[in-house]
Amino acid sequence: MTILIKGGTVVSATGADPAEVLFDGEKIIALLQPGSELALSAEKGAEVVDATGRLVVPGGVDVHVHMGLPLLGTRASDDFESGTIAAAWGGTTTIVDFAAQERGQSLRDGLDTRLGEAEGECAIDYGFHMTLADVNKDSLAEMDHIVDEGVSSFKLFMAYPGTVYSDDAQILRAMQQAAGNGALMLMHAENGIAIDVLAEQAVERGETAPVNHGYVRRAELEAEAAFRAIQLAKVGAAPLYIVHLSAKQALEQVSRARREGANVFAETCPQYLYFSLEDHLAKAGFDGAGYVCSTPVRSKHEHHQDELWTGLRTNDLAVVATDHCPFCMKDQKELGRNDFRAIPNGIGGVEHRMDMIFQGVVSGQISLPRWVELCSTTPARMMGMYPKKGTLQPGADADIVIYNPKKRWTISVDNHHMNMDYSAYEGIDVTGRVETVYSRGRRILHDECFEGRKGHGQFIRRSLSQYLI
Ligand code: URP
Ligand code: ZN
Ligand code: ZN
C-alpha cells in the first residue's frame, strides 16, 4: 500500500521543513514539496495521512538497551516483547541490545543464545553489540567473524571485577583487534577496582543505603577510566565509544581527546540529564534504589547536568541512548535492601527517551534537528545502520513517527508500558507526544493504541560504524 503523510513538518538532522513523505511497502519512496505536481499526483494513488500541526521524524534509534539482562541473580524485567512494545510507544523503532560472552564461552555461542532469545519476540527491528567478558587468543580471533555476522561493535568493562571486568592488557589487545576488523569499541568507563574498595569500606561503616552507590562510584573514577580508555584506544588505534557517560570530568576527557583529533565518541542517557544523587538516589526509605544505575546519577551541586547538555550541543556527546535495564522494586531492587551492592543496577527508560530529549527543544537547550540527530540519525550512523535507519529519504526503511509537539501530559507508572512496578520519571510533566508510529511501513501505534505484534521486528546485520576515519 502507498501512503502519503502530508501537512506536517519533516524534521531531519539538518533541518525542519514542510514536506510530504511518500512510502510504499517497507520503504520510503520520496519526500515531496507540498503542492508540487509530484505531490498532487502522488496523492491520487495513495492513502493520505493528515499530519497538520505535527512533526514527522525518523523513528528513534536506541543503541543501548538490555532486555531481560541477567544481573545479580535476577533478570531485567522487560523481555524482548514488552521492551520493544514500550520502545514503540515512545517513538523508538530500532534498538541495539547486547549479546554476552560468558567467561569460558565462545563469542559464537553467546551470540547464538541471544539471537535465539530475540527471534520472533520483537515488535521493532533490533541489532546486537557483543560484550567481551573473556578476552583471550580465541575470542580475539573470533571478533572478526562476529563483525561479519553484522555485530560490528564490542563492549568492554573497566568496572565489575570478578565478572565481566577486563584489565588493561585485555583492553589493549581487543582494541588492536578492532583496529584490524573495523569494529567500534564500546567502553563502560569506571575504575571498578577502586570502586569496589570504597564500596567495601562503606558497608563496613554500616553505610548500606542506595545513595552510597553514588558516593562510592566517584566522578574521579569515571574520569580516570575514560582517560585510560582513550589512551588505550589511541595506542591500539581503535575507535572508541564511551557508553552511559554521566560525570562532567569524564566529558572533559572526551572533549580534549576529540579536540586533539582522536576517534572518540560518547553517549549519555536521559537519567543523567534529569536525575541527581540528592533528589533521586537519596530518596527517603528505599526509594532511591529505583535510581541505582552505573555509572551513577551525579550530584546536582556539581552541575554535571548543565555540562552534559552543553556536550549534547557541541557534539562531544554524540548520542542519547537509554541503557534501558529495568528492575521492579518488588523482589528485584529489594534484593539490596540491606546492602546497596546487591541492588540490581539499571533504570528503565526506553519509552521516554524521545520525549525527555524533546524537552531540551522545548526549553531551548537543543534545536529540533539536533533532537533528531541525537536520537535517531547519529545513533544509526554510529552503529552502521544508516541510511536504512535514522533518516527519511528514498530507499530508507519507512520507520516514521508522527509527533504532536504541543501535547502536554504527565509520565507515570499508571500510563507507561514498560514492565516495571514504578517509574523513575513519575510525575514529570512533558510537552510533546508520539501519536503514530510506522515500522518498516506497517502502522504499529496510533491514537494511544498499539497495533503492532511481536515477531514483526527483524534482526539488523549492521555494517561498520560510519564514523571511522
Ligand atoms: O546500571 C546499569 N547501567 N546497568 C546495565 C549494565 C551496564 O553496565 O550497562
Ligand atoms: Zn555499562
Ligand atoms: Zn548498559
Side-chain angles (χ1 to χ4, degrees):
M1 180 188 307
T2 309
I3 297 180
L4 182 73
I5 302 176
K6 64 176 284 190
T9 299
V10 173
V11 187
S12 72
T14 52
D17 298 292
E20 301 184 3
V21 183
L22 185 69
F23 61 99
D24 183 51
E26 298 198 341
K27 299 286 181 189
I28 292 174
I29 302 175
L31 253 65
L32 303 168
Q33 182 95 26
S36 64
E37 256 178 55
L38 281 174
L40 293 173
S41 89
E43 194 169 334
K44 289 191 190 121
E47 178 189 320
V48 175
V49 174
D50 180 14
T52 304
R54 308 293 187 262
L55 306 176
V56 182
V57 301
V61 178
D62 190 343
V63 296
H64 188 161
V65 302
H66 302 277
M67 304 307 175
L69 177 76
L71 195 69
L72 293 174
T74 185
R75 282 188 96 106
S77 56
D78 266 321
D79 58 19
F80 281 107
E81 181 182 358
S82 64
T84 55
I85 291 173
W89 275 94
T92 287
T93 50
T94 304
I95 55 163
V96 185
D97 203 302
F98 293 80
Q101 176 207 22
E102 307 288 332
R103 288 218 164 140
Q105 191 188 32
S106 71
L107 303 189
R108 181 74 252 179
D109 284 353
L111 178 57
D112 284 346
T113 301
R114 204 66 177 140
L115 285 169
E117 285 172 6
E119 172 78 40
E121 296 296 313
C122 294
I124 57 171
D125 290 350
Y126 60 98
F128 289 115
H129 314 283
M130 179 116 223
T131 60
L132 299 177
D134 200 355
V135 178
N136 58 43
K137 225 166 165 234
D138 293 339
S139 55
L140 284 167
E142 238 194 314
M143 281 171 72
D144 301 359
H145 306 300
I146 297 297
V147 171
D148 293 340
E149 295 291 315
V151 175
S152 54
S153 43
F154 296 89
K155 184 179 178 190
L156 290 167
F157 295 84
M158 301 169 103
Y160 312 133
T163 56
V164 289
Y165 171 84
S166 290
D167 65 24
D168 289 356
Q170 291 171 312
I171 292 170
L172 180 58
R173 287 185 197 282
M175 299 277 192
Q176 289 170 332
Q177 195 73 24
N181 62 34
L184 180 67
M185 295 308 293
L186 277 49
M187 187 62 77
H188 181 130
E190 285 189 295
N191 184 329
I193 302 276
I195 286 168
D196 279 8
V197 171
L198 298 182
E200 190 181 310
Q201 291 168 345
V203 172
E204 278 165 9
R205 289 193 299 271
E207 294 160 6
T208 58
V211 69
N212 293 290
H213 175 86
Y215 289 141
V216 304
R217 303 188 90 87
R218 295 189 45 159
E220 293 88 338
L221 298 177
E222 186 185 342
E224 183 277 329
F227 174 77
R228 191 156 34 96
I230 290 166
Q231 304 313 311
L232 291 169
K234 281 190 198 163
V235 172
L240 174 67
Y241 174 95
I242 297 184
V243 295
H244 51 50
L245 186 149
S246 71
K248 65 180 181 187
Q249 297 91 330
L251 179 57
E252 273 167 29
Q253 300 303 328
V254 171
S255 305
R256 196 177 62 188
R258 289 174 57 79
R259 251 194 337 267
E260 291 169 1
N263 221 354
V264 171
F265 308 94
E267 138 204 304
T268 194
C269 313
Q271 54 268 37
Y272 305 123
L273 298 164
Y274 289 96
F275 303 146
S276 70
L277 185 145
E278 294 81 6
D279 293 341
H280 299 88
L281 197 54
K283 269 180 188 278
F286 190 62
D287 287 355
Y291 297 88
V292 165
C293 59
S294 304
T295 61
V297 299
R298 298 289 176 193
S299 169
K300 64 178 178 186
H301 303 304
E302 294 166 4
H303 305 292
H304 297 275
Q305 293 177 359
D306 292 343
E307 295 295 330
L308 295 183
W309 279 109
T310 301
L312 290 175
R313 282 194 295 278
T314 62
N315 206 37
D316 287 336
L317 292 170
V319 169
V320 178
T322 57
D323 194 10
H324 177 74
C325 191
F327 296 98
C328 291
M329 279 290 180
K330 186 171 178 303
D331 296 337
Q332 296 198 296
K333 293 283 184 183
E334 280 287 342
L335 292 167
R337 185 169 274 283
N338 300 317
D339 182 343
F340 67 87
R341 295 174 300 180
I343 300 171
N345 50 294
I347 293 184
V350 74
E351 191 169 345
H352 302 314
R353 182 182 65 122
M354 300 293 280
D355 293 326
M356 293 313 295
I357 303 309
F358 188 72
Q359 302 319 293
V361 178
V362 173
S363 62
Q365 280 158 298
I366 55 169
S367 68
L368 205 44
R370 185 66 180 152
W371 172 56
V372 167
E373 189 171 33
L374 287 165
C375 293
S376 186
T377 310
T378 300
R381 294 184 73 187
M382 187 70 70
M383 300 305 166
M385 296 182 284
Y386 184 93
K388 179 179 167 66
K389 304 295 185 188
T391 180
L392 300 181
Q393 68 181 56
D397 282 356
D399 290 355
I400 306 167
V401 172
I402 302 178
Y403 195 78
N404 181 345
K406 300 263 186 271
K407 173 87 178 172
R408 301 178 76 124
W409 61 290
T410 304
I411 298 177
S412 169
V413 64
D414 298 326
N415 59 25
H416 78 192
H417 303 84
M418 300 177 289
N419 183 30
M420 297 170 70
D421 60 1
Y422 78 102
S423 171
Y425 295 84
E426 187 71 40
I428 296 185
D429 296 321
V430 291
T431 302
R433 185 149 203 184
V434 170
E435 274 183 1
T436 305
V437 178
Y438 294 90
S439 165
R440 274 184 290 106
R442 190 196 153 111
R443 197 172 79 180
I444 61 168
L445 187 118
H446 183 59
D447 250 354
E448 313 259 321
C449 189
F450 179 70
E451 302 175 333
R453 59 167 181 84
K454 75 169 187 172
H456 166 76
Q458 292 180 351
F459 174 63
I460 304 167
R461 297 172 74 90
R462 295 184 295 118
S463 310
L464 297 183
S465 170
Q466 283 143 308
Y467 277 89
L468 309 191
I469 48 175

